[in-house]
Structures are given as C-alpha cells and as structure tokens.
Amino acid sequence: MPFTAANHYDFTGDDITGTVDAHRSAGVWAAQLVLSGQTLESTDVTRSDLGFEVRTVVENLSDGNRTHLLVVLPRVTIDSDDSQVSGRSAGSTPQVSGRSAGSTPAVTFTSYAVLYTVHGGSTAVHGAAESYDVRQLSGTASHV
C-alpha cells in the first residue's frame, strides 16, 4: 500500500494561523505564520522526532529579552487509494476529512505551538530565564 507524505499544512488556534508548504520541484519547506495579526518573517522549518518544527523570532527588545515562536506539526502520510491515513506527532490526532475530485484526502490534526521569551540571558535576571505560553492548534494536512 503506497503512502504519500503530506506537503501542505494549514492550521489555526489561539491567535496563530499558518501555512507550511514543500516547494514541489525543490522539496524546500516554507512557512507563513501570523501571530496576533502580525505576519512573521524569517521562519525556519526543520524535521525532528517531534514532527516538523517551525521556528521564528517574534521580537528582539533592547533590554535583551527575545520572544520566539515554535510551531510543531505532525508528519502525515496519506493513502489516496482507500483514504487511510497515518500521522505522527506528540499530541496529534490525525483523521480523514474528505477529498475533492483528483486530490488526496485532507487529514485533520491537533498539535501545539510554544511562544517563549528569553529574559535577558541566563544570568541577567533573578528567577526563571525563560517563560512559556503553550497554545493548541488544529488544522489539515494534504498532498497537493
């Protein structure tokens, strides 16, 4: 039974929306993220044991504080012959959502994002050097 890896992800949740795509000819992943209405630039997409990790810097402040966003998406495989799907990521729940003529079925998933702030460096503050805001995401993955 041949499976095809999903190459297009759309997701939303807790004031975050995004799209992650693999360029068809080059196989290079690109991401477009929006946080609280702000489009984030310079995203980096990597593959890890968690799935796909999308990282970007949200804000660099003059006091040394930096805010980052990490989005984790499951790797998803699709069997277009019989609509069976397989997805893998901590906390993800893949399901078949439907298909249009000539396309593979979309797979719904849940996952998460972490908005984290580094407070002036590890020795510049009393207390925790980082703070974390974990946000739930849901979306669809497909092969286009």
Side-chain angles (χ1 to χ4, degrees), residues 23-76:
H23 188 273
R24 288 182 189 192
S25 61
V28 176
W29 288 90
Q32 207 173 24
L33 301 176
V34 177
L35 173 66
S36 302
Q38 174 189 0
T39 300
L40 303 174
E41 304 295 330
S42 302
T43 56
D44 181 38
V45 181
T46 58
R47 215 156 133 174
S48 75
D49 289 342
L50 295 173
F52 290 103
E53 297 181 23
V54 183
R55 296 175 183 268
T56 189
V57 174
V58 175
E59 185 173 42
N60 274 315
L61 300 174
S62 60
D63 62 1
N65 288 355
R66 294 178 318 279
T67 302
H68 304 257
L69 178 63
L70 165 66
V71 174
V72 178
L73 302 172
R75 288 186 296 268
V76 174

Side-chain angles (χ1 to χ4, degrees), residues 74 76 85 87-96 107-111 136 139:
V76 174
V85 298
R88 175 167 134 11
S89 177
S92 70
T93 311
Q95 300 173 349
V96 174
V107 176
T108 59
F109 63 87
T110 59
S111 196
Q136 184 152 349

